[in-house]
Amino acid sequence: MMDHYHHTEGLKTVRGTRKAIKFGLHIVTWNVGTAAPPDDITCLLQSESATQETDMYVIGLQELNSKVSSFLVDMVFDDPWTLCFTKILAPLGYVKISSIRLQGLLLLVYIKFMHLPFIRDLRSSYTRTGLFGYWGNKGGVASRLSVYGHLLCFLNCHLPAHLHNSSQRLGSFQRILDALQFSSDTATSMLDHDLLFWFGDLNFRIADHGLHFIRESIIKNRFHLLWDKDQLNKARTVEPVLRGFLEGPLLFKPTYKFNLDSTDYDTSEKRRKPAWTDRILWRMKERCQDGESESQGSDAKKPITVTLNIYDSQMEYGVSDHKPVVGTFCLELEKRVIQPLVELQPQGKWVPGLDGVISYCVADDYPSSLWDWIGLYKFGFRTPQDYVTYLWVKDDQLAVHEDVYEVYLSGEDIPQAGGEFVLCYYSSNIDSIVGVSSLFQIVPECAENPLEMDTRTEMRCAPACGDSDTC
């Protein structure tokens, strides 16, 4: 019994001081032109070539196929693009926590599973700007969430097209900022968040320069000759609605307009001028204390710092007349949330046919509910609803040591095939996962040596602290 208590006491997290962690963010924006996904999108996600581990993927698509028949099917089942991204990311340990669709606009958010207990206050919203605000072919979709205590917001937009509509694009963006609200006690509007990422087919063009000059500048990689005529660059210096928005240098070819399945710019009769229509920008919340301006307080340590690592297009994809754009960032966050609301772990060996023992403890301020449940998930699960089985926490819990409790999962529900699994505690009141165990092995009945652990499990097994620097 002493050994058992010693093991369960390990659930109790020692409360530490706040510290900064590095959080890898990968954003994709792509106008897919109603096309189906290509056969291979691994390069788009850069999962193999990334210089640092990615903690979150955010994917914004525009112009999905929104024909009535396709749209209705996609409302019931995941659309082909969501299925395509999930098929790649889930086996790598990323869970889809948010998906919002507005006709042709889609925004997806995936998070590394060990961070789930530190993701809170998840909300999504949208607004239409097409056809006097009644049609959703243009507009914005947004998801926001608290990450280790910091409110991040991601806004995917599709703004009006054509060279002469620069002012209309700015007006549409202003309407999106004004109209798109979250039902929350904190940060109801876009600009209230600690960090806002704005991306999509923003449709800003290169003004004044002729087609020949633009194409020659691109061929000779003299992109800097086009920057001062880029409508978005010009607007950021004078338009109040764009105050504070930052963007990386445009060191890649303009991403519009291409012949399909080609790296050649438009050769049709219209011969559209190339443009950087597809962009990724970000904005930090302005913080003024004791009457100081933002500039006066610039020496103070910021709770979030943003480092842009990659800002580039992906020219190898040709299913659309746009090329996708990727932005990878390192967010350095002050860790305001230092422990999950619930800590849980499996106890002993788990074998099919034998009851599995789960120990857990909850934080003092955790709002528990009779409807809380613990799910058993196979590694590579796609969403919080993608559990193998679950149990209601309050039905059979036993107090075993101070504030440590135990519940039992019936051996009949433990998968016969075995494999790598994780336990997640789902809060009914918070409507999200608030605790995640380390990865563990269920030994199949046919295993010759049930004591032998898969070395891959040991390598990938991580505490539920979500600190990629120390775990």
Side-chain angles (χ1 to χ4, degrees):
M1 184 65 71
M2 290 298 294
D3 290 340
H4 175 73
Y5 281 157
H6 176 75
H7 189 49
T8 56
E9 282 182 340
L11 289 171
K12 301 177 184 178
T13 301
V14 177
R15 294 181 179 272
T17 57
R18 295 179 180 178
K19 63 176 181 177
I21 61 169
K22 292 182 179 180
F23 192 85
L25 171 64
H26 185 110
I27 296 178
V28 175
T29 179
W30 192 3
N31 182 321
V32 298
T34 73
D39 294 333
D40 187 359
I41 59 170
T42 53
C43 291
L44 193 62
L45 301 174
Q46 299 179 356
S47 56
E48 298 179 355
S49 60
T51 56
Q52 67 173 52
E53 182 175 356
T54 300
D55 297 288
M56 180 186 291
Y57 282 93
V58 179
I59 299 159
L61 305 180
Q62 308 87 39
E63 287 198 25
L64 265 69
N65 188 345
S66 56
K67 292 181 179 179
V68 174
S69 57
S70 298
F71 189 70
L72 292 177
V73 171
D74 293 346
M75 291 297 99
V76 180
F77 307 100
D78 279 341
D79 64 274
W81 285 94
T82 299
L83 292 172
C84 185
F85 285 112
T86 304
K87 182 179 179 181
I88 294 175
L89 292 175
L92 300 177
Y94 296 94
V95 180
K96 178 167 68 71
I97 59 171
S98 180
S99 173
I100 180 168
R101 171 99 182 255
L102 172 64
Q103 281 183 231
L105 280 166
L106 176 66
L107 180 62
L108 303 169
V109 180
Y110 297 83
I111 189 78
K112 200 77 169 179
F113 77 94
M114 73 276 293
H115 296 298
L116 287 171
F118 304 94
I119 304 299
R120 302 175 189 175
D121 202 13
L122 179 61
R123 299 285 190 276
S124 296
S125 188
Y126 67 86
T127 188
R128 305 178 180 90
T129 59
L131 195 61
F132 306 105
Y134 292 100
W135 194 243
N137 64 320
K138 297 291 192 295
V141 290
S143 290
R144 84 87 175 277
L145 63 162
S146 172
V147 180
Y148 291 97
H150 302 269
L151 285 173
L152 309 186
C153 184
F154 301 94
L155 173 60
N156 173 26
C157 289
H158 193 184
L159 301 183
H162 305 307
L163 178 66
H164 60 276
N165 281 334
S166 181
S167 60
Q168 187 178 347
R169 285 185 275 276
L170 293 170
S172 292
F173 182 51
Q174 182 69 71
R175 288 196 298 276
I176 290 171
L177 292 181
D178 293 340
L180 209 157
Q181 303 283 320
F182 296 105
S183 58
S184 174
D185 295 333
T186 58
T188 57
S189 70
M190 297 288 98
L191 301 183
D192 290 337
H193 294 81
D194 296 319
L195 179 57
L196 167 64
F197 285 93
W198 172 40
F199 47 90
D201 180 2
L202 308 186
N203 253 322
F204 289 97
R205 308 304 173 96
I206 299 172
D208 301 332
H209 291 314
L211 175 63
H212 178 74
F213 180 84
I214 293 175
R215 290 196 173 185
E216 281 297 309
S217 299
I218 295 170
I219 291 172
K220 296 177 181 179
N221 290 325
R222 296 178 177 177
F223 305 129
H224 63 282
L225 298 179
L226 308 176
W227 291 345
D228 63 340
K229 300 299 182 182
D230 174 81
Q231 291 175 335
L232 182 54
N233 280 346
K234 294 172 66 176
R236 280 176 48 215
T237 64
V238 296
E239 296 293 338
V241 68
L242 298 181
R243 177 186 174 188
F245 279 95
L246 303 174
E247 184 182 18
L250 299 171
L251 299 177
F252 51 89
K253 292 181 178 181
T255 53
Y256 172 86
K257 173 180 170 75
F258 287 87
N259 297 329
L260 295 182
D261 299 313
S262 173
T263 56
D264 296 328
Y265 285 103
D266 183 21
T267 57
S268 69
E269 292 182 359
K270 293 182 178 180
R271 291 176 65 84
R272 300 285 191 192
K273 290 196 296 184
W276 286 289
T277 55
D278 310 279
R279 312 286 277 270
I280 301 174
L281 298 90
W282 68 96
R283 182 186 187 275
M284 301 287 296
K285 182 179 179 181
E286 294 183 351
R287 302 178 183 277
C288 301
Q289 298 179 350
D290 301 326
E292 290 183 347
S293 67
E294 180 75 6
S295 59
Q296 288 174 322
S298 60
D299 292 336
K301 185 178 179 180
K302 296 181 179 180
I304 305 178
T305 59
V306 180
T307 302
L308 175 63
N309 293 327
I310 297 173
Y311 189 34
D312 202 1
S313 59
Q314 301 286 312
M315 288 291 160
E316 61 267 39
Y317 295 102
V319 298
S320 166
D321 56 355
H322 290 250
K323 300 299 183 183
V325 170
V326 169
T328 66
F329 300 83
C330 178
L331 309 183
E332 191 165 347
L333 309 173
E334 179 188 90
K335 196 175 181 183
R336 292 172 174 170
V337 180
I338 60 176
Q339 71 172 29
L341 291 172
V342 176
E343 296 179 77
L344 72 164
Q345 293 294 348
Q347 298 298 319
K349 304 179 187 69
W350 280 45
V351 180
L354 299 180
D355 290 351
V357 182
I358 305 168
S359 295
Y360 74 93
C361 61
V362 302
D364 295 337
D365 58 347
Y366 172 64
S368 62
S369 166
L370 291 174
W371 302 106
D372 288 356
W373 51 271
I374 294 175
L376 175 67
Y377 295 80
K378 188 171 180 61
F379 178 77
F381 65 101
R382 298 161 294 179
T383 69
Q385 291 73 42
D386 191 24
Y387 48 80
V388 175
T389 187
Y390 69 95
L391 59 89
W392 298 107
V393 173
K394 298 295 184 179
D395 284 354
D396 300 303
Q397 72 175 11
L398 298 172
V400 295
H401 179 65
E402 295 180 0
D403 58 348
V404 177
Y405 300 89
E406 279 186 354
V407 289
Y408 293 81
L409 182 65
S410 171
E412 296 178 355
D413 295 328
I414 295 178
Q416 299 289 324
E420 293 176 299
F421 290 82
V422 65
L423 296 165
C424 296
Y425 189 110
Y426 196 93
S427 168
S428 176
N429 285 332
I430 300 178
D431 195 24
S432 65
I433 289 174
V434 295
V436 175
S437 75
S438 300
L439 279 171
F440 66 99
Q441 191 87 359
I442 293 179
V443 182
E445 290 181 324
C446 60
E448 296 181 2
N449 184 4
L451 298 180
E452 183 178 348
M453 287 292 291
D454 190 333
T455 57
R456 295 182 299 111
T457 302
E458 296 177 356
M459 292 173 62
R460 288 208 296 263
C461 191
C465 69
D467 187 342
S468 58
D469 284 351
T470 59
C471 295

